[in-house]
Amino acid sequence: MQYHIWTLGCQMNVADSQRLASELERLGHHAADQPDDADIYVINTCVVRQSAEDKAYGRLRELAQIKQQQPGKIIGLMGCLVGVRDPLRLRQQLPQVDVFLPPSDPQPMLDFLGDVDTERDALLQDAADRATREQLQDMADEGVIILPAHEQGSLISAHVPVVYGCSHACAFCIIPYRRGVEKSRPVGEIVGHVRSLARQGVKEVTLLGQIVDRYGKDVPDGPNLAQLLRIVHEIAEQEGVERIRFLTSHPNWMTTELLDTVAELPRIMPQIEVPVQAGNDEVLGRMRRGYTVAQYRALVDEIRARIPDVAIHCDIIVGFPGETAAQFDDTVNLLADLKLDKVHLARYSPRPHTVSQRTMPDDVSPAEKKRRHAALDQLQAQVVAEINSKFLGHTVEVLVEDCVKGKWRGRTPQNKLVFFEDAAQDWHGQLAQVEITWTGPWSMQGRVPGSADAPTPPAEIIPLRVSG
């Protein structure tokens, strides 16, 4: 049968969808060219924001009508909307859904479609054009990901979950209720996953966790994240993986050992994603984040002191319950001072069962949340334009991911997006030395020295300014 997986939300969901696709193809199914042609349609959901949940329900309403016309179509619902507990309410509410899959668990769909073990030998033989029967069997027995056919040879960067769930329970976060308690993945599984991706052409892996720097905290005498990175780095050297990243970290668990490991090992990229969420101590206290603004500032200083040329990314929530205009101004001032390379912005929305939803009134108006979001967006555009302008005229290393509208597209070690033209060479999956000839807040353009092609820069982007 043909399948389609629509993925909403975070990188963990992307990895979960890839794992489900891998298992479906191991059963002999293949990706649909068009979503509407799929015999198996799965929505991998996110509920961190109300907007993402609304998108899922909108598509489910459309699928209910399609199901009436095509009763044989198999509809699956996966991810945080389902959660780790029995979704009895959803079963009653969504009769069009045939299979409910918890986060990171493809097994319910596999059980629905049939017994994997009894069919595996024949299916592995059918897949002989992708690898030998013995190789596939070995990989299947080890629980290793075999990339979907449409990603083999083309996927350059992939995600590898190392910590499932979360036990921190920030006041605003629904993840612990939907993905369960924190659980570190065994080192052997992670190593096997990275090896298999490398042998299928992947050149960059990103280790994932809701709080990735808590890796190993739930395993007595187990390795921590710094030690895991050393293991993965050794595998990367053996298998030809060029780059390693990890996200998302929490300020409370960012150690000197981890920072020194990033600085020491050449294949670990100088990019640290460490959310602050707000720039005011009272707001941070209500969020249950466990640190102060001063401690976050000190952490940023330490990261920059220990990792040369580092890029720091963070998350910000605007309009958290009780956030005053003055407290929001503290966040503006923090970002203006720190000049971080990327800020993921979100407007607060109350999520079921969270501490903030149960105990704090959502008292910042939607219009004011929108205004604050726009103000930070404008500020950050100006900050990043200033940061990126320093690359003008310099040569940077770019891992090339694909070609878009005649231009090669890739990222620097700091995860900055770069476009360049070179019709004379296939750069897919290669490291290119690119001289930057134009910079903007969201991307840069350049040329490969010696290439006849020179990029045509877009119209100049004038950074917006924040009044006051």
Side-chain angles (χ1 to χ4, degrees), residues 251-328:
N252 287 0
W253 306 103
M254 182 67 65
T255 65
T256 298
E257 179 191 10
L258 178 57
L259 296 179
D260 288 346
T261 299
V262 175
E264 175 188 342
L265 300 180
R267 295 180 190 238
I268 302 179
M269 295 298 98
Q271 175 206 343
I272 300 292
E273 185 136 358
V274 57
V276 63
Q277 302 297 5
N280 175 271
D281 285 346
E282 291 183 13
V283 176
L284 288 173
R286 292 198 298 274
M287 287 180 167
R288 297 189 174 184
R289 290 295 290 171
Y291 53 83
T292 65
V293 172
Q295 289 170 328
Y296 187 83
R297 285 180 180 271
L299 176 60
V300 169
D301 289 342
E302 183 180 12
I303 293 171
R304 287 174 168 161
R306 291 186 176 276
I307 305 175
D309 301 320
V310 70
I312 303 177
H313 298 187
C314 85
D315 296 358
I316 293 287
I317 296 174
V318 300
F320 189 75
E323 183 186 63
T324 66
Q327 289 171 337
F328 170 71

Side-chain angles (χ1 to χ4, degrees), residues 71-90:
K73 186 183 287 288
I74 299 169
I75 298 175
L77 190 67
M78 185 179 186
C80 288
L81 185 59
V82 178
V84 293
R85 299 180 178 86
D86 183 15
L88 177 60
R89 180 184 62 83
L90 288 178

Side-chain angles (χ1 to χ4, degrees), residues 12 24 34 42-43 56 132 142 169 182 188 220 232 248 286 310 321 335 352 357 361 365 369-370 402 407 425 432:
M12 188 70 77
L24 289 174
Q34 300 295 330
V42 180
I43 305 176
T132 68
E142 294 171 4
E182 180 180 85
V232 173
T248 296
R286 292 198 298 274
V310 70
L335 294 183
Q357 186 266 340
S365 72
K369 290 177 185 176
K370 184 177 181 180
D402 55 12
K407 293 183 179 180
Q425 182 171 341

Side-chain angles (χ1 to χ4, degrees), residues 392-453:
L392 190 63
H394 292 267
T395 298
V396 298
E397 183 182 79
V398 175
L399 177 59
V400 183
E401 299 175 359
D402 55 12
C403 188
V404 179
K405 296 181 179 180
K407 293 183 179 180
W408 294 106
R409 177 174 64 181
R411 294 184 182 273
T412 70
Q414 292 81 10
N415 211 20
K416 294 183 180 295
L417 188 61
V418 175
F419 294 87
F420 68 95
E421 296 179 20
D422 185 0
Q425 182 171 341
D426 182 359
W427 284 102
H428 184 257
Q430 304 299 311
L431 291 171
Q433 300 299 318
V434 180
E435 180 186 349
I436 300 301
T437 58
W438 178 89
T439 65
W442 317 126
S443 68
M444 301 186 288
Q445 297 207 30
R447 59 183 296 275
V448 176
S451 169
D453 293 311

Side-chain angles (χ1 to χ4, degrees), residues 335-356:
L335 294 183
D337 289 347
L338 294 182
K339 298 186 184 300
L340 304 179
D341 291 78
K342 191 170 187 178
V343 176
H344 305 279
L345 298 173
R347 284 169 263 179
Y348 171 78
S349 60
R351 310 312 298 137
H353 310 299
T354 59
V355 172
S356 62

